[in-house]
């Protein structure tokens, strides 16, 4: 399997580099910005392509690792060429094959989405942490087994999902990754209002977050839950609600909304963990604040 990349940003760079380091035949990169293709090709020992014709001739599969908004445009360009027998693969988490490559069957190509559950934060992780990562696949069933075997063979954990669940799948990923950043950002801002600097606030939160994340990973979120909600400390939760209700920064309505919404979920979790404990006082507090 000869694999070429259109797009040499963070995902294309890291994924192509990982493939190349694990014995997959990566042909090279084509990119809107030639400089990024040159860097990726140099670092992976592959070629720079400047036109679709040469890339298609050299490759059996094309990974389209461009921003979601550009995938359809790339596909429309590729349709001008003979795609018979080629694999077209995009790495968007929310888009299906049908969204990105409409009527792909008419081109003779076979389409897949291959989305890595991994945060690509820069160009410094050719091999950093990717081993063992889940890769979710959706697309044509005829060659799905081949792709799951290829991904398994280089150390990934493939998971096939149906197209009608793609957005829900990506929502789950965003909640555990992107939305978590929002919670930490608000926590950091609240500490800064207490006298911490931006740096010291993050240093103070880091051990708390790291220990809690390890607990979630090892025991699951239900058993890792600690704090005033889990122990049914209605007095402390009530003080929290009073505090977020009395904040006066322009963004503070966000803190109140976040606290109320997430606390409601925590109450449900705590009830499942401690079915014999009465959490009605916490429910009344959140009900009074308009959380239904």
């Amino acid at each position: 399997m000869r694999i070429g990349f259109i797009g040499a940003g963070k995902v294309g760079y890291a994924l192509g580099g990982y493939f190349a380091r694990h014995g997959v035949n990566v042909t090279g990169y084509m990119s809107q910005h030639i400089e990024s293709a040159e860097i990726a090709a140099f670092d992976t020992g592959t070629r720079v392509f400047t036109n679709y014709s040469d890339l298609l001739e050299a490759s059996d599969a094309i990974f389209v690792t461009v921003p979601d908004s550009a995938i359809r445009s790339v596909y429309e360009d590729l349709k001008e060429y003979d795609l018979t027998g080629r694999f077209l693969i995009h790495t968007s988490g929310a888009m299906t094959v049908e969204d990105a490559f409409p009527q792909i069957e008419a081109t003779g190509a076979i389409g897949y989405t291959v989305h890595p559950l991994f945060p690509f934060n820069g160009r410094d992780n050719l091999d950093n942490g990717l081993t063992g990562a889940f890769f979710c696949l959706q697309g044509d069933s005829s060659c799905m087994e081949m792709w799951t075997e290829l991904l398994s063979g280089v150390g990934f954990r493939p998971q096939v999902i149906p197209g009608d669940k793609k957005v829900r799948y990506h929502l789950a990923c965003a909640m555990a990754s992107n939305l978590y950043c929002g919670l930490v950002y608000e926590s950091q801002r609240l500490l800064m209002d207490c006298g911490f600097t931006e740096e010291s606030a993050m240093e103070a939160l880091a051990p708390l977050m790291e220990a809690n994340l390890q607990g979630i990973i090892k025991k699951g979120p239900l058993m890792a839950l600690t704090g005033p909600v889990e122990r049914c400390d209605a007095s402390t939760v009530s003080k929290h609600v009073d505090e977020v209700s009395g904040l006066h920064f322009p963004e503070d309505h966000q803190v109140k909304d976040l606290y109320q919404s997430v606390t409601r979920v925590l109450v449900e979790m705590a009830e499942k963990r401690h079915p014999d404990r009465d959490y009605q006082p916490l429910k009344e507090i959140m009900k009074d604040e308009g959380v239904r």
Side-chain angles (χ1 to χ4, degrees):
M1 179 68 67
R2 301 171 301 162
I3 296 178
F5 284 82
I6 297 175
K10 293 181 289 188
V11 176
Y13 175 85
L15 189 55
Y18 186 96
F19 279 155
R21 289 160 66 97
H22 288 78
V24 178
N25 185 0
V26 177
T27 57
Y29 290 86
M30 181 177 173
S31 179
Q32 181 180 8
H33 304 288
I34 188 67
E35 296 84 1
S36 63
E38 290 173 343
I39 293 171
F42 177 81
D43 288 349
T44 57
T46 61
R47 293 174 55 187
V48 174
F49 292 94
T50 57
N51 60 74
Y52 290 121
S53 180
D54 290 345
L55 177 63
L56 288 167
E57 183 178 352
S59 309
D60 303 305
I62 304 294
F63 272 69
V64 182
T65 51
V66 299
D68 287 16
S69 59
I71 295 175
R72 281 286 294 274
S73 176
V74 170
Y75 173 62
E76 293 300 325
D77 290 340
L78 288 172
K79 284 169 60 178
E80 301 298 320
Y81 299 86
D82 181 11
L83 301 178
T84 304
R86 299 293 195 286
F87 294 99
L88 294 187
I89 301 159
H90 72 77
T91 56
S92 166
M95 296 177 71
T96 64
V97 170
E98 296 74 21
D99 293 333
F101 308 139
Q103 300 178 327
I104 189 173
E105 297 85 0
T107 70
I110 302 173
Y112 291 96
T113 72
V114 176
H115 179 252
L117 274 78
F118 188 83
F120 294 94
N121 296 316
R123 291 179 172 273
D124 58 350
N125 57 352
L126 275 181
D127 207 4
N128 182 20
L130 266 172
T131 300
F134 273 86
F135 275 63
C136 283
L137 295 84
Q138 179 261 326
D140 194 299
S141 61
S142 63
C143 297
M144 187 67 77
E145 184 176 355
M146 180 193 70
W147 281 103
T148 58
E149 290 179 355
L150 187 151
L151 293 171
S152 297
V154 296
F156 297 142
R157 301 174 66 182
Q159 173 71 43
V160 179
I161 60 174
D164 62 356
K165 298 294 185 182
K166 196 75 191 296
V167 175
R168 182 170 297 188
Y169 151 78
H170 194 252
L171 171 62
C173 297
M175 291 182 71
S177 179
N178 311 140
L179 269 62
Y180 182 66
C181 292
L183 288 171
V184 175
Y185 176 81
E186 293 294 3
S187 297
Q188 184 183 33
R189 189 169 65 84
L190 289 170
L191 284 184
M192 290 168 65
D193 189 52
C194 298
F196 287 76
T197 66
E198 182 176 355
E199 294 75 16
S200 65
M202 187 53 60
E203 291 173 359
L205 289 170
L208 183 66
M209 294 188 297
E210 290 174 349
N212 195 50
L213 181 57
Q214 287 302 313
I216 292 172
I217 292 170
K218 293 178 180 179
K219 299 182 290 187
L222 200 66
M223 298 307 297
L225 179 62
T226 62
V229 172
E230 186 269 335
R231 61 179 180 263
C232 200
D233 184 352
S235 175
T236 297
V237 172
S238 181
K239 291 177 181 179
H240 287 175
V241 171
D242 289 343
E243 186 69 17
V244 296
S245 299
L247 295 172
H248 299 292
F249 296 112
E251 308 92 343
D252 282 331
H253 67 280
Q254 298 173 167
V255 182
K256 182 177 180 180
D257 292 344
L258 281 170
Y259 185 84
Q260 290 177 334
S261 298
V262 177
T263 298
R264 183 187 177 204
V265 176
L266 297 185
V267 172
E268 294 176 0
M269 292 171 61
E271 281 190 307
K272 290 182 179 180
R273 181 170 171 183
H274 304 291
D276 298 330
R277 189 175 293 175
D278 182 14
Y279 284 91
Q280 191 59 35
L282 292 184
K283 292 181 178 180
E284 291 299 321
I285 292 171
M286 304 318 295
K287 182 178 179 180
D288 290 344
E289 289 301 315
V291 179
R292 298 291 186 266

